[in-house]
Amino acid sequence: MFERNVAILGGCGHVGLPLGMAFADHGQTVVLCDTNAAAVELVNSGSMPFREAGAEELLPRVIASGRLTASLGVGALGSAEVVVVVIGTPVDEYLNPDIGAVLRALDGAADHFVDGQLLVLRSTVYPGVTALVEKRLAGLGKDLDVAFCPERIAEGHALDELSSLPQIVSGRHARAVERAAELFRILTPDIVELLPEEAELAKLFTNTWRYIKFATANQLYMIANDFGLDFDRIRHAVTYRYPRAADMPGPGFAAGPCLFKDTMQIAAFNENRFTLGHASVMINEGLPLYVVSKLERRYDLPSMTVGILGMAFKGGSDDIRSSLSYKLKHLLSIKARAVLCTDPYVTVDPDIRPLESVLASSDLVVVATPHPQYAELAVEVPVVDLFNVLGRGVLI
Ligand SMILES: NC(=O)c1ccc[n+]([C@@H]2O[C@H](COP(=O)([O-])OP(=O)(O)OC[C@H]3O[C@@H](n4cnc5c(N)ncnc54)[C@H](O)[C@@H]3O)[C@@H](O)[C@H]2O)c1
């Protein structure tokens, strides 16, 4: 196989690092350029900065092979044939997409771009940003082929999904599309070609579709629960050997660094006209408030210590970015006597306690993240468990 030099800008993050490992594992030479000195050092020592299935085994192997290195700053970009950009793209305090970090990173790296390189934008962006990047590079006097190839992995499963999912590639010029397709054919033969604006929307729709489905389930859950009925039993009846409803999700906190902000990206791009998206935000972000108001009516919260099981935004993860467990914690800390938090994977929160100590001190427990190890728990006090990890039903 033809060997390329690939540089990944933002390469020690949740998207960049697995992608770099996957390319290196498939025979490419990869340098991860990042501004996070601690992450660069960890990666070069063969240690993962976050949880990712299969990565603990793969990372030391590709580092030892010499095919993957991490580098502080952007100096190493110049020797690459392909530069992949995966800087974070959050929404700002007004809930508008903030692509400033991507543009600033491009400006900061401008001196190291070399005419003829392929630049692959892989951050999630709203329609028109690839065109903006093309103009920015031209304005900097650089002649690069630009492609937009969105990342669609589920965090934590990237190493599997980078090869098992089709890859969307897009560009305005045939040469950029062909070069990008050739790059991703290293990972999978399954390539879907689009125009950049189509690909930008395709990525946003992928996440928004999922977010709306979670919101639908959460709203139906609240309706059933208000009638004193167990949504999980109803959902089983709806989905059991009934393919047209088979993908109905269960209730639970739907959050994390992507679904909410990508829904808001569509709203902002579409002049704030995204009724279904906004409704989904209200439902999903409102679920912790619903839970707390139900608990308030049923229990004497001011006299109780509440334990929250799971602070990561989803089961099996150590990522707390935009986790609704923290919204729940905030609400409960106003209403309850005390709130105690635990999580088997999260390492960045000094308030996290061991599971046993939280269970021993709590009068009431909320399972906020469906970590698999909670399934075996014997909990003596009342439990709120929207994900039904403990199998006792989801009624509050
Ligand atoms: N996390 C996911 O599961 C996921 C899935 C699909 C798409 N995405 C998208 O991928 C993009 C990146 O998300 P992420 O979760 O990997 O973010 P992240 O914060 O984990 O990673 C971003 C990395 O970029 C680095 N960085 C920031 N500014 C830099 C600069 N100027 N130069 C070099 N490095 C810089 C950071 O230190 C960090 O390591 C976002 O647009 C996100 O929406 C994320």
Side-chain angles (χ1 to χ4, degrees):
M1 180 185 287
F2 180 60
E3 184 183 331
R4 289 164 199 74
N5 284 319
V6 180
I8 303 186
L9 189 59
C12 291
H14 290 81
V15 165
L17 181 50
L19 182 67
M21 283 192 276
F23 279 141
D25 194 33
H26 285 77
Q28 312 303 303
T29 301
V30 181
V31 58
L32 309 169
C33 298
D34 207 292
T35 45
N36 183 337
V40 166
E41 199 182 322
L42 261 183
V43 170
N44 279 330
S45 73
S47 300
M48 283 297 293
F50 48 82
R51 275 173 67 80
E52 185 64 48
E56 296 287 349
E57 181 271 321
L58 179 59
L59 181 62
R61 191 151 53 77
V62 286
I63 291 282
S65 74
R67 287 199 304 276
L68 185 80
T69 49
S71 176
L72 189 59
V74 292
L77 292 179
S79 53
E81 179 192 340
V82 180
V83 176
V84 182
V85 179
V86 281
I87 305 292
T89 47
V91 285
D92 65 16
E93 67 268 42
Y94 310 108
L95 298 183
N96 292 317
D98 176 13
I99 55 149
V102 173
L103 299 180
R104 280 191 300 278
L106 291 178
D107 289 350
D111 288 346
H112 301 279
F113 289 138
V114 178
D115 287 355
Q117 282 178 324
L118 170 68
L119 184 136
V120 174
L121 181 60
R122 198 151 170 91
S123 302
T124 303
V125 295
Y126 59 88
V129 173
T130 305
L132 207 62
V133 166
E134 288 165 330
K135 274 194 203 127
R136 195 82 162 206
L137 288 170
L140 292 165
K142 299 291 174 182
D143 183 16
L144 278 70
D145 285 338
V146 175
F148 173 65
C149 307
E151 181 59 83
R152 297 193 298 163
I153 52 98
E155 201 177 293
H157 304 279
L159 292 174
D160 170 35
E161 292 192 349
L162 279 166
S163 299
S164 64
L165 294 179
Q167 292 288 336
I168 294 174
V169 306
S170 74
R172 213 163 308 285
H173 304 291
R175 193 176 61 188
V177 176
E178 188 37 47
R179 289 179 74 185
E182 205 176 86
L183 177 71
F184 284 100
R185 265 188 226 113
I186 293 168
L187 302 177
T188 172
D190 217 351
I191 303 289
V192 181
E193 290 184 15
L194 290 175
L195 291 171
E197 290 72 22
E198 291 171 336
E200 289 163 334
L201 269 186
K203 166 62 197 179
L204 292 177
F205 284 177
T206 305
N207 275 358
T208 299
W209 178 246
R210 197 163 154 73
Y211 193 65
I212 291 170
K213 279 202 280 191
F214 288 140
T216 308
N218 281 332
Q219 176 129 64
L220 296 179
Y221 162 73
M222 289 186 263
I223 291 170
N225 192 61
D226 286 343
F227 278 97
L229 300 170
D230 186 323
F231 176 76
D232 243 27
R233 285 168 52 80
I234 301 168
R235 176 170 159 257
H236 170 71
V238 171
T239 56
Y240 177 63
R241 296 182 58 197
Y242 194 76
R244 283 188 291 282
D247 65 343
M248 180 190 263
F253 294 152
C258 292
L259 299 188
F260 167 79
K261 67 110 176 149
D262 289 348
T263 302
M264 292 317 296
Q265 287 212 61
I266 295 182
F269 155 75
N270 198 39
E271 297 167 357
N272 228 27
R273 288 174 292 127
F274 189 21
T275 314
L276 208 49
H278 282 125
S280 302
V281 169
M282 286 168 68
I283 294 163
N284 287 331
E285 289 286 312
L287 192 58
L289 286 141
Y290 176 84
V291 169
V292 172
S293 68
K294 284 282 164 197
L295 292 178
E296 230 181 338
R297 271 177 237 157
R298 189 153 165 200
Y299 300 102
D300 180 33
L301 287 181
S303 70
M304 298 174 85
T305 295
V306 184
I308 301 180
L309 271 49
M311 301 307 289
F313 83 86
K314 68 173 180 178
S317 172
D318 59 355
D319 192 348
I320 59 168
R321 292 180 295 171
S322 304
S323 169
L324 283 174
S325 299
Y326 284 88
K327 192 169 195 170
L328 178 72
K329 179 187 179 189
H330 172 71
L331 294 166
L332 284 171
S333 65
I334 298 166
K335 308 281 184 184
R337 183 180 59 200
V339 184
L340 306 175
C341 302
T342 182
D343 191 290
Y345 303 122
V346 173
T347 54
V348 292
D349 180 351
D351 286 343
I352 283 180
R353 299 168 174 232
L355 174 64
E356 298 70 31
S357 108
V358 170
L359 289 178
S361 310
S362 298
D363 306 302
L364 172 69
V365 160
V366 182
V367 180
T369 311
H371 289 310
Q373 46 274 72
Y374 296 153
E376 306 301 324
L377 282 186
V379 183
E380 308 296 334
V381 295
V383 182
V384 174
D385 179 16
L386 299 194
F387 295 100
N388 204 10
V389 185
L390 275 63
R392 298 187 193 176
V394 295
L395 260 173
I396 311 177

